[in-house]
Amino acid sequence: MTPDLKVTIAGVEFANPIMTASGCCGYGEELHRVFPLKTLGALVTKSITLHPRSGHPVPRTAETASGMLNAIGLANVGVDAFIKDKLPFLEDKQTRVIVNVAGSKIQEYVDVCARLEDCPPVDMVELNISCPNVDEGGMEFGSNAALTEKTIASVKKVFTKPLIAKLSPNVTDIVEIARAAEQGGAEVLSLINSVVGAAIDINTWQPKLTNNKGGLTGPAIKPIALAKVDAVYNACTVPIIGIGGITCAADVVEFMLCGATAVQVGTALFIEPDVPVKIVKDLKTYLKQKGLASVANLRGKVRKY
Amino acid sequence: MTPDLKVTIAGVEFANPIMTASGCCGYGEELHRVFPLKTLGALVTKSITLHPRSGHPVPRTAETASGMLNAIGLANVGVDAFIKDKLPFLEDKQTRVIVNVAGSKIQEYVDVCARLEDCPPVDMVELNISCPNVDEGGMEFGSNAALTEKTIASVKKVFTKPLIAKLSPNVTDIVEIARAAEQGGAEVLSLINSVVGAAIDINTWQPKLTNNKGGLTGPAIKPIALAKVDAVYNACTVPIIGIGGITCAADVVEFMLCGATAVQVGTALFIEPDVPVKIVKDLKTYLKQKGLASVANLRGKVRKY
Amino acid sequence: MTKSTCRDTFVIHKKKLQNDYYSLVLGPLRKINHCQPGHFIHLQVPHTDVMFRRAFSIASIFPEQNALEIIFKVVGRMTRQMSTLKTGDTVNILYPLGKSFTLPRKSETSIMVAGGVGFPPLMFLTEHMMKRGYDPKTIHFFYGGRTSADILCRSRLKRTGVLFHPVTEDGSFGRQGLVTEPIEEFIKFRKKDKLRLYACGPEGMLKAANNLGLQYHIPGQLSLEAPMPCGIGVCLGCVVPLTAGGYARVCAEGPVFEVGEVVL
Amino acid sequence: MTKSTCRDTFVIHKKKLQNDYYSLVLGPLRKINHCQPGHFIHLQVPHTDVMFRRAFSIASIFPEQNALEIIFKVVGRMTRQMSTLKTGDTVNILYPLGKSFTLPRKSETSIMVAGGVGFPPLMFLTEHMMKRGYDPKTIHFFYGGRTSADILCRSRLKRTGVLFHPVTEDGSFGRQGLVTEPIEEFIKFRKKDKLRLYACGPEGMLKAANNLGLQYHIPGQLSLEAPMPCGIGVCLGCVVPLTAGGYARVCAEGPVFEVGEVVL
Ligand SMILES: Cc1cc2nc3c(=O)[nH]c(=O)nc-3n(C[C@H](O)[C@H](O)[C@H](O)COP(=O)(O)OP(=O)(O)OC[C@H]3O[C@@H](n4cnc5c(N)ncnc54)[C@H](O)[C@@H]3O)c2cc1C
Ligand SMILES: Cc1cc2nc3c(=O)[nH]c(=O)nc-3n(C[C@H](O)[C@H](O)[C@H](O)COP(=O)(O)OP(=O)(O)OC[C@H]3O[C@@H](n4cnc5c(N)ncnc54)[C@H](O)[C@@H]3O)c2cc1C
Ligand SMILES: Cc1cc2nc3c(=O)[nH]c(=O)nc-3n(C[C@H](O)[C@H](O)[C@H](O)COP(=O)(O)O)c2cc1C
Ligand SMILES: Cc1cc2nc3c(=O)[nH]c(=O)nc-3n(C[C@H](O)[C@H](O)[C@H](O)COP(=O)(O)O)c2cc1C
Ligand code: FES
Ligand code: FES
C-alpha cells in the first residue's frame, strides 16, 4: 500500500503537501530545469507587486550559521508582465500555482489580486503581509492586527479563490495576528516569513546587506517556526502551511505533527535544488514505516507533555 | 602598543568586555577548572530565585541547526544558598560578578535583590525579565512595557548598585521595552535572551523538551541579536551588553560595531569551554591589526548604507 | 575533581572492530595518567555540521604514547563522521571529565555488567585493576549483546585472566538470553561472598543491575549516559533524578553513581 | 539553457599546484560534453558547517573518463575544507551552470585576459578552441598575477601553442607590472586586426578589460564572480547592474557577459 500524500486545503486538492516557498523558486522556470515541477504539491511564486521592482543594490544576501540573510527588496516583474510572460509557462506543469502578492498599500494588494482573479492557472493567492524588506511598510501590515484584518477583507472583495495570509514571526503574539487574518476572511494561514536579522562585515564595518538588515531564513529558524505553527494551530481553525528551515522529510513531519496541513521549502532549494524530489520520496517511506495510510494522519498529532 | 580592552559600564570598570552568559557558566566553579576566571570581564551567574528550584524534568535540551533549545526551568540553589555556598568561591577570582535574578512576581525580584544588596562581591545585578521557561509569567515581564518599568523601578528601591535589564527578543518592538526599562531606572540593557522555539521527535511524536517549548540559543540566533542590539542602540542612551550566538572575536566585533559596550558568551561555552580565552586573545589581535588603541573605539561604528 | 583540558589532538590509530564498532587511539595528550576508569572525554570533529561534542568513555590509556583509546558504535550523526576519520586527522577533545569508578576492596568479588557501548569503561576498569595487582579470578565479567557481533575485544578480555561470561540474546555467542539472568544466578550462588557490582550499558540493563544490587544488598556503581551539551556541569541539561529527591548532573556528579542513588 | 544535474560524485584526482592553488578532478559524471567553457559547477562538501555551495569554473573536461576539472585557491571556509579532500572522497555538484563563452570567428585574434582564479575558464576556452581547430597563433594569452607563484599550468598552456604573455606585479615571472599595460600596447600595435577580448579575473582586471574593450571598440566577453547562494537563478542574490538599467543574475544571464553590458 502506497501512503496517500494528497492533501486538501480550502477545497483545493494538492498532489502532496510539499510546496516551494515564495522568493526561493522564481516563477518556476529555473527549477523545472532541475526537476519536473509536477513533483510539487504547489509552486508559490516570488512576491508580485503592482509595478515591476528591480530590488535593492547588492549585496542582497549573506550566509549565517545554518541560515542566510536576504534583502532582495521584492524584485519582480510586476503583475502585468507576470500574467503575460511568466504564468503561461506554469499552465501545463501539472502543479498547483499559488501567487504570492505584496504591496505597500492596501489598494496595491487589491489591484494585484483583482488582476489575478481572472487567471485560470492561479489556484490561490498568498498575501505577503510580512515582508521585512520594504520601507513603505511591508511589515507593518503583518504586525498590526487591525491592518491585517482590513487588508485581507479588502482583497476578499475582489478575489474569490482561496486566500492565504502569510504571517510574520516578528511579533509578540502571532496568535493575535492569526485570528485577525482569519477574521478578515483568510481561508489559509502560512507561516513563517523570515525573521529580522543583521550581520556586519568586520573588515569594512559595513552591514553585509545594503538594506542594513534583512530576513533570516534556513535551518537556523526551524525551531522558531515550529513554535509559531504550534501556537497558531491551537488557536485557529483554518488550515496552516508550515514554513521555515525545512530541508528534509523529517522536518516536514515535525511541522505536520505541530498542525501544518502542508509545508513550503525555501532556502533548502538553494542548497539542494532538487530537494523536493527527495522529500516526497522520504515522506512516503516514513509513512510506510509508521504504517500510516495518509499524510493527513500526522496533522496535529504531537503528544505534548 | 597593546590595545586597551578595558570597558566601563555604569561606573564599574571591567578588565575586558567578555562576560559569560547566565545559565551557561553555573556559579563559576566548573569553568574555573578549565580556565582561570580572571580571563573574563565578568561572570554572570545562573538565574537566582528566592527559593531553590530543581527545574524541569529531562529532556531539557535539544540540539538544533547551529543552535540548541533549552528549558532548564531556572534550576538554581535559591538566593540564600547562593550567598552562603556559591558566592564566596567567586570572591577572590579577580573577575567581576554579575548576579542574574529571576522571579515570577515583582516582589520576588525585590526580595532577592534586597538580599544581594549587602553582598560586596556582587558588582551588578542583571534582571532576567525575559526567561521563556517559567509558566508563572517569566516572559510576561519582558514583553510588557509597563510591567518592565514597574519591576525595575521596584528593584531600584532596594538595590543601589547598577542594574541591568535583560531583554527578550520575542516582542514586536524591543525598543519600546528598552525605553521602559531605561525609564524604570535600568543603568544597563543586556540583550538578547533566548528565542522561543520548539522541536518534535518524529519517532515518538513527543516534543524534544518536557516543557514542550524552550529557548533557542547559539550561532543560529546571532543575526537576530545583532538586529535587536542595533535597534536599541539607536533608540536608547544606556550602555548595552550584546548577547546571542557569539563564538569568536569576530562576533564580538560585530556586536560592538552595532553598539554593544560588552558582550556575553553563552552556548559557545558548551562547545568550547575555554573559548573566552581565545576570544580575548583574538580581540587584541584584531584591534592591533586595525590600529585601534581601545576596544571602545568599535562601539556603534557600523557604517550603515 | 581534577582540571580538564580542551585541546586539539590527532588520530594515532583507527581500527574497525566488528559490525559498526570502531576503536580510536588519540594523542599526544598531556597528563594522560589523570584519566581513570569511568572518566570520559568530550569529542568534536572540526568543521562539522554537528554542533555539540559527544561523550565517549575512555576505554584505555597508553601512558608511554600519551594516548587514550575510545570505542564507539556508529549510531547517528557524529559517530558516522567519526567512522570516516583517518590516521593523522585532527579532533578536539576535552578531558578527563566526570567521576571515576571507586575500586573494590581486594577481598571483594567484582561483577562487571557490560552491554553495547557500555563495555569500554568496564574494560578500562578491569585492565586498570590488573595493573594494580587484583586477582583476575575475583572479577566476573558479564558481557551482554544482541548477537555475537556485539561482543568486542574477546581475546583482549581473556588475556586479563578474568572470568568471562558472554551472553547473547540470539545465543550466537556464549549463553543465550539477557545478561541479567546469569548474574542473578551467580549472585544467588555466591551469596556468602562480598560482592560488588559495576554496570554500564543500555538503560534496561542498568535498571536491572540497579535492582539486583538493591534486592541482594550488593554495593556497586553504575555508569550512566545522557545527552550532554556541555559535559562539564554548566548547562544542567544532563540531569538524572535522585532517589533522595532533586537532580544530579550525569556529567559532573556522575557518570558513575552508586547503586540505589538514582531513579532509573 | 541546458538542464542541470545535482548529484554526488567522487574526487578522482587531487593535485596541489603552486602556493594555495589546487586542481580537483571529479567524476564520474553523465553528459560531460554538455559542459562548455564559461560554465561553472556549484559544489558542496558533505557534513560541513559551510551551508551554501560555492561556484567553480570548469577548467577542463575529460570526456573519456566522464570527469571534469576545477582549479581553486584556498581563501576561505569552503576552499580550506576542499584542500583536505582526498581521492575517493564524495562531493556533491550541480552542473553545468551559467552561460558559456561564445567562440570567436576563426578570422579573429583572441586576447585572453586571465588573473588568479579567473584563469581556469580561459584555459578551458583555449584548449577547447584548439580541439576545434583554431590556429594557436591567433590566441594571445595574457596571464597576470602578483608573483610567479600565481601563474599556473604554464607548460600546459605552452603545449597548446598559443602566444603566452605572463605578467607579474613583482616581475618574478614574465613582464613586470599589471597585465592590462601590455594588453593596451598589444591592442594599439594590432589595431588593424579583428580583435576579440575574453577576460576573467579580479574586479580591477575585469574593469580594465571592459574599459579597453569600450575604448578601442573591441568586442568580447567577461566572466564575472558574485556570491551565489543558489547558482541556478532563483534567489536573485547574485545580481549585477546592467548599463541598460536594471539587474542581471550573474549565475543565469552570466557569468559570461558582453563587454559593455554590465556596470563594474
Ligand atoms: C558519559 C558518556 C559516555 C559515553 N561513552 C560512549 C562510548 O564509549 N562509546 C559510544 O559509542 N558512545 C558513548 N556514548 C554515547 C555518545 O556520546 C553519543 O551519544 C552516541 O555516540 C551517539 O552520537 P551520534 O551523534 O552518533 O548520534 P545522534 O545523531 O546524536 O543519535 C543518537 C541516537 O539517538 C537517536 N536519536 C537521534 N536523535 C533523536 C531524537 N531526537 N529522539 C530520539 N532518538 C534520537 C539516533 O537514532 C541514534 O540512535 C557515551 C555517552 C555518555 C553520556
Ligand atoms: C561563476 C564563479 C566561478 C568561480 N570560479 C572559481 C574558480 O574556478 N576557482 C576558485 O578558486 N574560485 C572560484 N570562484 C569563487 C568561489 O566560488 C568562492 O567564492 C571562493 O572559493 C571562496 O570560497 P570560500 O568558502 O573558500 O571563502 P569564503 O569563506 O566564502 O571567503 C571568500 C573570500 O572573501 C573573504 N570574505 C569572507 N567573508 C567576507 C565578508 N563577509 N566580507 C568580505 N570578505 C569576506 C574571505 O576573506 C575570502 O577572501 C568562482 C565564483 C563564481 C561566482
Ligand atoms: C532569498 C529569499 C527571498 C524571499 N522572497 C520572498 C518573497 O518575495 N515573498 C515572501 O512572501 N517570502 C519571501 N521569502 C521568504 C520565504 O518564502 C520563506 O518564508 C522563508 O524563507 C522561510 O523559509 P525557509 O527557511 O525554508 O527559507 C524569501 C526568502 C528568501 C531566502
Ligand atoms: C542552557 C541555558 C540556560 C540558560 N539559563 C538562563 C538563565 O537562567 N537566565 C537567563 O537570564 N538566561 C539564561 N540563558 C540565556 C543566556 O544567558 C543567553 O541570553 C542566551 O543563551 C543567548 O546567548 P548564546 O546564544 O550565546 O547562548 C540560558 C541559556 C542556555 C543555553
Ligand atoms: S552536560 Fe551540561 S551539565 Fe552535564
Ligand atoms: S545565485 Fe541565486 S540567482 Fe544567482
Side-chain angles (χ1 to χ4, degrees), chain A residues 270, chain D residues 42 226-239 249-252:
Chain A
F270 306 163
Chain D
H42 221 197
M228 289 188 175
C230 78
I232 60 167
V234 294
C235 76
L236 308 184
C238 67
V239 297
R249 297 165 298 180
V250 176
C251 69

Side-chain angles (χ1 to χ4, degrees), chain A residues 63 200-204 208, chain D residues 21 38 40-42 50 53-58 70-80 82 117-118 120-121 223-228 250-251 255:
Chain A
E63 189 174 340
I200 314 296
D201 185 323
I202 67 157
N203 293 312
T204 64
K208 287 191 183 171
Chain D
Y21 293 93
F40 65 94
I41 67 167
H42 221 197
V50 181
R53 292 167 182 269
R54 297 290 191 265
F56 295 93
S57 302
I58 298 172
I70 59 170
I71 292 174
F72 66 94
K73 182 178 182 179
V74 176
V75 296
R77 299 197 307 140
M78 177 72 98
T79 45
R80 203 167 306 128
M82 286 166 64
V117 291
S223 181
L224 269 57
E225 274 197 23
M228 289 188 175
V250 176
C251 69

Side-chain angles (χ1 to χ4, degrees), chain B residues 62-63 200-204 208, chain C residues 21 38-42 50 52-59 70-82 117-121 200 223-228 250-251 255:
Chain B
E63 190 174 340
I200 315 297
D201 185 321
I202 65 156
N203 292 312
T204 65
K208 287 192 183 172
Chain C
Y21 293 93
H39 281 151
F40 65 95
I41 67 167
H42 222 196
V50 181
F52 286 109
R53 292 167 182 270
R54 296 290 190 264
F56 295 92
S57 302
I58 299 172
I70 59 171
I71 291 175
F72 67 93
K73 182 177 181 180
V74 177
V75 295
R77 299 199 305 142
M78 176 72 97
T79 45
R80 203 167 307 128
Q81 289 184 43
M82 286 166 66
V117 292
F119 162 75
C200 189
S223 181
L224 269 56
E225 273 197 23
M228 290 187 174
V250 176
C251 70

Side-chain angles (χ1 to χ4, degrees), chain D residues 160-182:
Chain D
T160 61
V162 301
L163 299 152
F164 182 35
H165 307 275
V167 188
T168 55
E169 287 175 39
D170 66 358
S172 55
F173 184 63
R175 183 172 154 161
Q176 180 165 10
L178 290 174
V179 73
T180 38
E181 297 157 10

Side-chain angles (χ1 to χ4, degrees), chain C residues 77-122:
Chain C
R77 299 199 305 142
M78 176 72 97
T79 45
R80 203 167 307 128
Q81 289 184 43
M82 286 166 66
S83 71
T84 68
L85 286 171
K86 299 178 185 82
T87 301
D89 282 352
T90 304
V91 294
N92 188 285
I93 75 169
L94 179 61
Y95 77 100
L97 298 172
K99 215 188 74 180
S100 57
F101 289 110
T102 311
L103 296 186
R105 301 222 181 91
K106 293 219 165 145
S107 59
E108 291 175 324
T109 297
S110 298
I111 305 173
M112 305 287 175
V113 191
V117 292
F119 162 75
L122 295 180

